[in-house]
Amino acid sequence: GAGVSQSPSNKVTEKGKDVELRCDPISGHTALYWYRQSLGQGLEFLIYFQGNSAPDKSGLPSDRFSAERTGGSVSTLTIQRTQQEDSAVYLCASSPLASGTDTQYFGPGTRLTVL
Amino acid sequence: AQSVTQLDSQVPVFEEAPVELRCNYSSSVSVYLFWYVQYPNQGLQLLLKYLSGSTLVKGINGFEAEFNKSQTSFHLRKPSVHISDTAEYFCAVSKGGSEKLVFGKGTKLTVNP
């Protein structure tokens, strides 16, 4: 079946611009996660959704970062006024339920480069 | 808070040799443990996970890991590696009642002919 998809696969933007990253989870998965993978910091949790609500936003690095999920499906991560330190691979994952035991299925990621 | 330490950032081995990738975690509460693999330009794929029960966990592609509570370790092993096992391997932990994964920095495994 279809896995987690993310778009775009690559995004190059100029410092100060806003960007939107999209994630389509596996159909029927209620939980959706965003992580960031960068050379200096490794893999970091950003936010997760249970349905359309976000019980844990603790990993968002600043108020320039926001995310939403609509219809219990697609999610968008928005970064406003991008900075060079935002350059990273943004990974999305989904799981059937939001629990510590469920396997999270990852998408291929969006590589963001801020010039 | 939990943390995960992967002691080796890079591990080179020859084909058909055994390999062990080390992972230690710290947590004051019970945790669940995972190993994920990332092939070049791909997302992460679950290799195996420990939730409870037998401390020896078998996963895909011939990998296995052993949970050691006293040493707070969850090392990944394979008795004979293939060229196709070349990838980056991530150890991760989640806490009961918490949904997010906390990852180690990763270990790049390079299998040479």
Side-chain angles (χ1 to χ4, degrees):
Chain A
V4 177
S5 61
Q6 293 185 246
S7 61
S9 56
N10 280 284
K11 176 72 176 178
V12 180
T13 190
E14 293 180 348
K15 177 181 173 182
K17 301 281 190 183
D18 298 350
V19 295
E20 286 189 352
L21 312 179
R22 177 188 168 106
C23 172
D24 280 273
I26 294 172
S27 177
H29 281 192
T30 61
L32 185 149
Y33 308 79
W34 284 98
Y35 294 87
R36 180 168 70 173
Q37 186 175 23
S38 58
L39 282 176
Q41 301 298 322
L43 271 158
E44 305 172 281
F45 167 81
L46 296 178
I47 184 172
Y48 98 90
F49 289 89
Q50 171 67 26
N52 292 334
S53 64
D56 189 350
K57 306 178 184 179
S58 63
L60 294 178
S62 75
D63 58 8
R64 296 187 295 105
F65 288 72
S66 63
E68 65 174 11
R69 188 179 186 194
T70 55
S73 181
V74 171
S75 176
T76 303
L77 178 69
T78 302
I79 309 173
Q80 296 179 310
R81 305 181 302 281
T82 52
Q83 304 294 313
Q84 289 183 332
E85 61 262 29
D86 299 335
S87 295
V89 177
Y90 289 82
L91 293 168
C92 176
S94 70
S95 65
L97 297 171
S99 78
T101 60
D102 257 5
T103 297
Q104 294 184 21
Y105 297 85
F106 283 80
T110 293
R111 182 175 297 277
L112 175 66
T113 304
V114 182
L115 302 176
Chain B
Q2 309 103 289
S3 68
V4 179
T5 302
Q6 292 184 244
L7 296 165
D8 305 298
S9 60
Q10 298 191 52
V11 173
V13 294
F14 289 109
E15 193 174 17
E16 297 183 6
V19 70
E20 178 180 81
L21 306 183
R22 296 178 293 170
C23 173
N24 286 87
Y25 68 93
S26 66
S27 176
S28 58
V29 298
S30 296
V31 295
Y32 307 116
L33 295 153
F34 304 78
W35 275 99
Y36 279 84
V37 60
Q38 186 176 35
Y39 299 103
N41 300 314
Q42 294 187 29
L44 280 77
Q45 178 184 3
L46 181 72
L47 275 178
L48 48 80
K49 62 183 178 182
Y50 172 78
L51 304 181
S52 65
S54 172
T55 57
L56 183 63
V57 181
K58 293 189 182 296
I60 62 171
N61 301 339
F63 284 93
E64 63 181 32
E66 185 151 21
F67 170 61
N68 188 319
K69 187 174 181 179
S70 63
Q71 296 187 6
T72 60
S73 68
F74 190 55
H75 301 333
L76 181 70
R77 303 185 184 99
K78 186 169 182 178
S80 175
V81 294
H82 303 290
I83 299 285
S84 59
D85 292 323
T86 294
E88 190 158 17
Y89 292 78
F90 292 91
C91 182
V93 62
S94 72
K95 186 179 67 173
S98 171
E99 297 71 16
K100 67 183 179 185
L101 291 171
V102 175
F103 286 90
K105 297 286 190 187
T107 298
K108 287 187 179 177
L109 175 65
T110 303
V111 181
N112 298 302

